[in-house]
Amino acid sequence: MGTSVAPRVESLASSGIQSIPKEYIRPQEELASIGNVFEEEKKEEGPQVPTIDLKEIDSDDKEAHERCRLELKKAATEWGVMHLVNHGISDDLMDRVRKAGQKFFELPIEEKEKYANDQGSGKIQGYGSKLANNASGQLEWEDYFFHLVFPEDKRDLSIWPKTPNDYTEVTSEYARQLRGLASKILSALSLCLGLEEGRLEKEVGGLEELLLQMKINYYPKCPQPELALGVEAHTDVSALTFILHNMVPGLQLFYQGNWVTAKCVPNSIIVHIGDTIEILSNGKFKSILHRGLVNKEKVRISWAVFCEPPKDKIILKPLPETLSETEPPLFPPRTFAQHIEHKLFRKTQDDLSN
């Protein structure tokens, strides 16, 4: 192991420390908005992340189908994030995915280290913790496991966890079904923009090229949750991101100037509109700023699957149909790789100017 490996957050958390190292303490201006996530989740007043029932999305009943699409459009336009229910993926499969990931993280750290990634050499798949990649040297209170899960011919199964022994089977099946769900959402969003049904799917790479990358986020209990974040505020670069979690709250969305805590909706999958779709739709669909809180009492685990276009093969820019005299393009043409660079560069600049 090289010297660049950050200590695993899990090791810190289980070492009995009462106060967290300074690298994990958020800047002063952020701290004012970090509250107790369990209290936050209980709040009934104020805006709530929409829940979309997909039961009618394929319905022959034109009215029901249209109603479902309009709700999806409203959520994508106003929020860019929603809980999906009746999404077609069985509770049983979701439970098995959660159990498999949890079992991996319950392994001793030495076992997990066999799967360690090496970000310095560009080996990003595997077990890891965030390295300080910005000027402020800030770290997040999480460990993770990251790997490409679809298309199947692009996977590297040699780095997938061998324990538990059904990990590959359940994760593969979930990825396959999620890919179908991604198509369904992309079709509906295409129609919402007045495009042909398959258009957005084609624009993000189609079945051959759209990559599904899974990141299992493991947020250990934190002795000072009011000072840390599991993941700092960001928007996703993906086309869509799908999230499963272990029913411990933590996701917050920046909506109309305030941080709103997402409720835990049983058997739902959360979907985020990512930057890629925001760009293609010329800002009609939102890629919302979000972050993750941690807590003292419960480990939180989430399974995020990022649906990403190929890095260099496609130029992302607002589709001509989304433009008009009064709606000029809001985004310059860039490849996905250039978009990521642009965001990292801008972030580094922001850090330097703070």
Side-chain angles (χ1 to χ4, degrees):
M1 272 164 44
T3 50
S4 64
V5 174
R8 302 303 176 200
V9 178
E10 183 190 347
S11 308
L12 272 176
S14 57
S15 69
I17 55 170
Q18 297 302 300
S19 53
I20 62 175
K22 65 177 189 330
E23 297 80 29
Y24 294 92
I25 298 175
R26 305 309 302 177
Q28 200 54 48
E29 64 275 11
E30 264 181 297
L31 294 178
S33 68
I34 299 177
N36 178 312
V37 72
F38 298 111
E39 301 298 315
E40 298 286 339
E41 198 217 3
K42 286 193 196 100
K43 287 183 181 165
E44 290 301 334
E45 72 281 0
Q48 303 288 344
V49 176
T51 295
I52 304 296
D53 188 336
L54 285 183
K55 196 166 61 217
E56 307 292 1
I57 198 92
D58 298 324
S59 171
D60 294 335
D61 177 343
K62 207 164 180 314
E63 260 178 44
H65 172 74
E66 194 52 32
R67 198 165 48 240
C68 181
R69 239 192 16 233
L70 283 172
E71 283 179 17
L72 189 69
K73 182 179 184 176
K74 187 171 190 284
T77 306
E78 290 179 12
W79 282 84
V81 64
M82 60 209 92
H83 301 282
L84 300 177
V85 295
N86 290 315
H87 41 66
I89 297 179
S90 75
D91 299 351
D92 176 60
L93 180 58
M94 294 194 299
D95 283 342
R96 289 169 69 204
V97 168
R98 283 189 280 245
K99 280 201 186 85
Q102 187 176 332
K103 281 194 177 136
F104 171 76
F105 274 99
E106 284 168 356
L107 293 172
I109 289 193
E110 312 72 77
E111 274 303 300
K112 293 191 289 255
E113 287 296 353
K114 293 175 183 169
Y115 299 93
N117 61 14
D118 181 4
Q119 295 170 54
S121 69
K123 183 180 162 236
I124 57 170
Q125 296 196 73
Y127 173 62
S129 309
K130 182 170 175 179
L131 301 179
N133 64 353
N134 51 23
S136 58
Q138 217 43 86
L139 293 171
E140 296 165 338
W141 195 260
E142 69 149 349
D143 299 323
Y144 64 81
F145 193 94
F146 180 78
H147 58 328
L148 186 148
V149 293
F150 198 91
E152 292 177 350
D153 60 352
K154 292 188 166 76
R155 304 177 308 183
D156 177 3
L157 290 177
S158 72
I159 59 117
W160 286 38
K162 308 288 179 280
T163 309
N165 56 16
D166 64 346
Y167 182 92
T168 297
E169 181 198 337
V170 299
T171 305
S172 300
E173 183 52 34
Y174 179 63
R176 234 191 332 270
Q177 294 195 24
L178 210 49
R179 185 61 185 86
L181 182 58
S183 287
K184 201 173 277 194
I185 300 293
L186 290 169
S187 296
L189 292 174
S190 293
L191 294 170
C192 292
L193 288 172
L195 306 167
E196 282 176 18
E197 205 170 349
R199 182 68 182 282
L200 284 177
E201 171 109 40
K202 183 170 143 284
E203 295 288 347
V204 296
L207 269 178
E208 303 292 309
E209 299 284 353
L210 185 70
L211 303 177
L212 270 59
Q213 315 258 20
M214 181 186 273
K215 184 170 176 242
I216 308 176
N217 301 299
Y218 183 84
Y219 306 104
K221 295 175 197 175
C222 179
Q224 295 177 297
E226 68 286 354
L227 297 181
L229 284 176
V231 60
E232 62 191 8
H234 66 287
T235 61
D236 288 353
V237 292
S238 59
L240 299 170
T241 304
F242 292 98
I243 298 174
L244 264 188
H245 55 75
N246 64 339
M247 293 299 284
V248 175
L251 175 64
Q252 286 195 321
L253 301 305
F254 195 66
Y255 181 74
Q256 296 183 343
N258 292 301
W259 286 106
V260 175
T261 302
K263 298 261 187 277
C264 291
V265 177
N267 307 325
S268 68
I269 295 178
I270 295 168
V271 65
H272 284 271
I273 304 284
D275 297 350
T276 297
I277 294 290
E278 182 176 64
I279 292 166
L280 293 170
S281 72
N282 199 34
K284 290 178 173 58
F285 298 146
K286 300 280 175 291
S287 179
I288 194 169
L289 194 67
H290 56 284
R291 68 183 188 184
L293 298 194
V294 289
N295 74 81
K296 257 185 184 156
E297 295 141 59
K298 293 180 176 174
V299 168
R300 179 167 183 261
I301 311 178
S302 70
W303 288 255
V305 175
F306 305 98
C307 304
E308 299 183 348
K311 284 246 181 339
D312 299 300
K313 284 189 181 174
I314 293 173
I315 302 289
L316 296 175
K317 60 179 196 291
L319 299 174
E321 296 89 336
T322 64
L323 306 174
S324 68
E325 292 282 306
T326 55
E327 297 171 301
L330 299 172
F331 306 93
R334 287 192 180 106
T335 62
F336 186 60
Q338 286 167 336
H339 175 66
I340 293 171
E341 280 303 305
H342 162 73
K343 282 186 82 161
L344 285 176
F345 176 73
R346 199 174 61 198
K347 196 168 161 194
T348 316
Q349 292 302 308
D350 288 349
D351 282 324
L352 292 173
S353 59
N354 277 345

